[in-house]
Amino acid sequence: VVSSSPDSINVTISSCCDSAILPVTIYNTGLADLTWNISAGETYTDNFDTIINPVLWSNISGATPTDSCGSNSAPYALHFTGATRNASTIGFNTSTGGTVSFYLKYSTGNSYPCDQPEAGDEVYLQYSNDGGMSWNNISLYDVNSYPVFTLVQEVIPPAALTTNTMFRWEQPNFWNTTSDHWLIDDVSIRLNSDTYVTATPDTGTIAPNDSATANI
């Protein structure tokens, strides 16, 4: 999308997939300013509101979509109450980077199915580079910090940038199935594309999701 004014030109390029129209080279227009914004890549989401998205998940254990303890986007969230509690994605090509975002809530009640977890019952976000044989922590989420659905956004760490990376939400410690419950909702895995934009004269190469203004 290109829009112009008497002294500038704005270029916004977006795509859904790696087979987009990029790369694009923008040449000196003779105008005062050149502004560009890039949004390129793939996004995989699940809001748990109809069926669990089979394209996103390889395994979900101890959780079901429900409204019993609320949701971020109605009607349902993924609610963990089982004897094992984790959700693992399929493997993604994360080699060009990206983000994992989701809404997390720890229950705040004192009985099933909304019993509040205590310290030591935290949820982890993890990644695996070997098909789920071993897992590495990205972050741990304090049980006192998410009494309502709260947006969490994690940049995929450098060690997880491979051609086959899985992600997992897990609560390894909890008292029993009647205790220490939690929920996630509106999961989104955003993978960058390897596309790029350049400007001439030389103002550098801008990576996907970046924005900049170049004087020309």
Side-chain angles (χ1 to χ4, degrees):
V1 177
V2 178
S3 61
S4 62
S5 65
D7 60 355
S8 68
I9 183 169
N10 300 306
V11 181
T12 301
I13 304 171
S14 62
S15 74
C16 66
C17 314
D18 288 337
S19 60
I21 58 172
L22 305 182
V24 172
T25 300
I26 305 171
Y27 294 96
N28 190 332
T29 63
L31 301 176
D33 297 291
L34 173 64
T35 303
W36 63 91
N37 297 281
I38 305 168
S39 176
E42 297 173 290
T43 301
Y44 298 83
T45 64
D46 199 342
N47 60 14
F48 309 108
D49 289 346
T50 51
I51 61 172
I52 293 174
N53 184 356
V55 175
L56 182 59
W57 304 102
S58 64
N59 180 69
I60 293 178
S61 180
T64 56
T66 179
D67 62 354
S68 58
C69 298
S71 63
N72 180 65
S73 61
Y76 300 137
L78 189 63
H79 186 192
F80 290 81
T81 61
T84 59
R85 302 177 184 178
N86 58 71
S88 306
T89 71
I90 64 170
F92 296 102
N93 183 350
T94 63
S95 56
T96 55
T99 57
V100 179
S101 63
F102 58 99
Y103 284 83
L104 171 66
K105 176 187 175 182
Y106 288 112
S107 294
T108 56
N110 56 13
S111 62
Y112 180 89
C114 301
D115 181 71
Q116 182 174 354
E118 294 80 31
D121 302 328
E122 294 84 2
V123 171
Y124 291 79
L125 177 63
Q126 304 170 317
Y127 72 90
S128 174
N129 296 335
D130 57 11
M133 297 294 294
S134 61
W135 294 90
N136 306 281
N137 293 335
I138 296 176
S139 191
L140 173 153
Y141 304 103
D142 180 76
V143 293
N144 297 311
S145 299
Y146 302 87
V148 298
F149 280 98
T150 303
L151 177 62
V152 179
Q153 294 180 301
E154 302 284 0
V155 176
I156 299 173
L161 302 182
T162 76
T163 58
N164 187 27
T165 297
M166 301 170 66
F167 299 98
R168 181 172 75 172
W169 289 257
E170 183 179 42
Q171 183 189 33
N173 302 309
F174 52 92
W175 184 250
N176 55 38
T177 56
T178 64
S179 305
D180 308 322
H181 305 126
W182 54 285
L183 308 92
I184 57 174
D185 202 359
D186 297 319
V187 171
S188 177
I189 297 177
R190 176 76 164 78
L191 305 176
N192 294 342
S193 169
D194 57 1
T195 53
Y196 59 90
V197 167
T198 61
T200 304
D202 185 13
T203 55
T205 298
I206 308 303
N209 303 312
D210 288 351
S211 63
T213 299
N215 294 321
I216 57 176

